[in-house]
Amino acid sequence: MNPTRGAQGHFARVAAVYDFVRNTDPDVVEEIVAHLPHRTDRLEIADVGCGTGRYSSVVAAHLNGNLRMWCCDFSLAMLQECRKRMDENYPGRPFRYSRVSANCMPFANDALDAVVSFNAVHHFDLERFVGESARSLRPGGLLAVYTRTPWQNSRTIWGQHFPGFNQYEGRLYPRERMERAIRNVPSLQLENIREFMHHRTEPTESLLDRARNFHYSTFSLYPPEEFTRALAEFALRVHSIGNGKIEHSAENTLILARRTEATSFETDVSP
Ligand SMILES: C[S@@+](CC[C@H](N)C(=O)[O-])C[C@H]1O[C@@H](n2cnc3c(N)ncnc32)[C@H](O)[C@@H]1O
């Protein structure tokens, strides 16, 4: 059994290095901030599946501290890294830390101005998370989900060249499923869906290191021997297409939904 298997174990293992092995896309945050409700007092925002808080901190920086940000994650190790980051970089900022599951959030009805989630929704029970978000949002509040669809995943450098990557990564939600989950909640209205493409150039060796060190949870889903074979095949392929450096692109989807005036009592979050 691969010791890194299972989401909790995976994130406990990568928490300390997570910020160094992921790219943060600031244009996505700009788009979300442009859709936030306007308030004269501070905004109440939850970042669900916040990890080390790399996106929570960018959102907070945009709002100049005029918010209370609930950093929510079920991994204690990730939350500890998150707290360290905020204490070091944003002293006095109004961050709160909550070890919770996205499927059952601790907020009162109509309590939040926004629920945001980056690169995490595929770990959640989608319908429960959407229902919980709708319940927790005030009328006019925003739900923002940034993720990758299976189609987009298949077009990454991993999806194209790492054997088995698309088969093992069976957790991502197709765009239609996410749209349906939102449409099925009477108190939510789909507001916008935008696709992003980011071009990256990086040394072939650093790409390989990300796989060797299991920096994506997908790798933890392989049986060990199969992973070793797939990694060797991937190394051959990327060495043959790059000259020490690899240019590749990553596509993601941002889904925005708005809490309507309808009562959140209509939202059924039971299975
Ligand atoms: C791929 S990381 C993304 C972290 C962060 N949003 C980012 O983009 O850097 C996914 C995060 O979701 C958390 N997570 C997974 N399942 C969860 C759940 N059911 N409830 C809350 N957090 C969860 C993991 O612990 C991890 O920190």
Side-chain angles (χ1 to χ4, degrees):
M1 172 87 173
N2 184 336
T4 63
R5 289 188 96 173
Q8 289 264 16
H10 168 77
F11 289 113
R13 192 173 169 277
V14 299
V17 296
Y18 192 78
D19 285 8
F20 302 105
V21 296
R22 290 300 179 102
N23 299 93
T24 305
D25 304 322
D27 50 347
V28 176
V29 177
E30 280 162 29
E31 177 80 13
I32 292 173
V33 169
H35 284 80
L36 286 174
H38 299 288
R39 285 177 70 93
T40 46
D41 52 348
R42 71 179 179 196
L43 290 169
E44 300 278 347
I45 302 179
D47 181 1
V48 183
C50 64
T52 56
R54 61 193 181 114
Y55 277 103
S56 323
S57 61
V58 182
V59 173
H62 269 280
L63 295 174
N64 231 1
N66 200 16
L67 79 164
R68 181 156 58 177
M69 167 75 80
W70 300 88
C71 299
C72 304
D73 203 288
F74 76 177
S75 160
L76 189 57
M78 291 298 248
L79 275 181
Q80 281 167 340
E81 285 299 320
C82 180
R83 179 168 218 148
K84 209 158 76 183
R85 165 203 284 270
M86 300 315 189
D87 287 351
E88 276 166 16
N89 299 314
Y90 300 92
R93 295 269 187 182
F95 295 104
R96 301 287 180 277
Y97 308 92
S98 193
R99 189 181 186 194
V100 289
S101 166
N103 308 331
C104 184
M105 303 201 305
F107 305 106
N109 292 353
D110 305 351
L112 299 174
D113 297 294
V115 173
V116 298
S117 183
F118 300 87
N119 309 306
V121 73
H122 57 291
H123 295 289
F124 308 161
D125 176 323
L126 177 66
E127 284 72 21
R128 290 185 75 97
F129 165 65
V130 170
E132 279 289 81
S133 299
R135 180 189 64 70
S136 308
L137 285 170
R138 297 174 173 148
L142 182 75
L143 170 62
V145 177
Y146 185 59
T147 186
R148 185 169 286 155
T149 64
W151 161 245
Q152 290 172 326
N153 201 47
S154 72
R155 289 153 58 91
T156 61
I157 186 86
W158 310 104
Q160 288 183 59
H161 296 292
F162 202 98
F165 195 79
N166 300 320
Q167 290 71 42
Y168 280 105
E169 185 43 85
R171 301 166 298 180
L172 294 165
Y173 293 112
R175 173 176 164 152
E176 306 71 45
R177 168 101 184 260
M178 291 188 280
E179 283 187 54
R180 196 166 58 241
I182 289 169
R183 289 191 204 285
N184 281 345
V185 177
S187 59
L188 280 182
Q189 187 160 26
L190 198 57
E191 182 158 299
N192 195 26
I193 301 185
R194 183 174 157 194
E195 298 191 349
F196 288 79
M197 177 171 311
H198 297 103
H199 298 285
R200 327 249 193 237
T201 303
E202 61 185 306
T204 309
E205 276 308 309
S206 70
L207 199 65
L208 285 167
D209 276 345
R210 280 202 258 159
R212 289 182 189 122
N213 296 313
F214 290 85
H215 286 161
Y216 290 108
S217 62
T218 314
F219 297 135
S220 306
L221 303 171
Y222 282 70
E225 282 161 22
E226 194 173 337
F227 176 75
T228 307
R229 276 197 301 274
L231 176 58
E233 174 68 29
F234 180 71
L236 279 178
R237 291 191 197 174
V238 287
H239 279 306
S240 74
I241 56 176
N243 196 6
K245 277 195 171 165
I246 293 284
E247 286 181 24
H248 60 106
S249 52
E251 294 166 81
N252 288 81
T253 299
L254 174 66
I255 301 194
L256 298 175
R258 185 79 58 192
R259 169 70 211 281
T260 64
E261 293 299 326
T263 78
S264 54
F265 291 58
E266 294 167 39
T267 303
D268 180 2
V269 294
S270 58

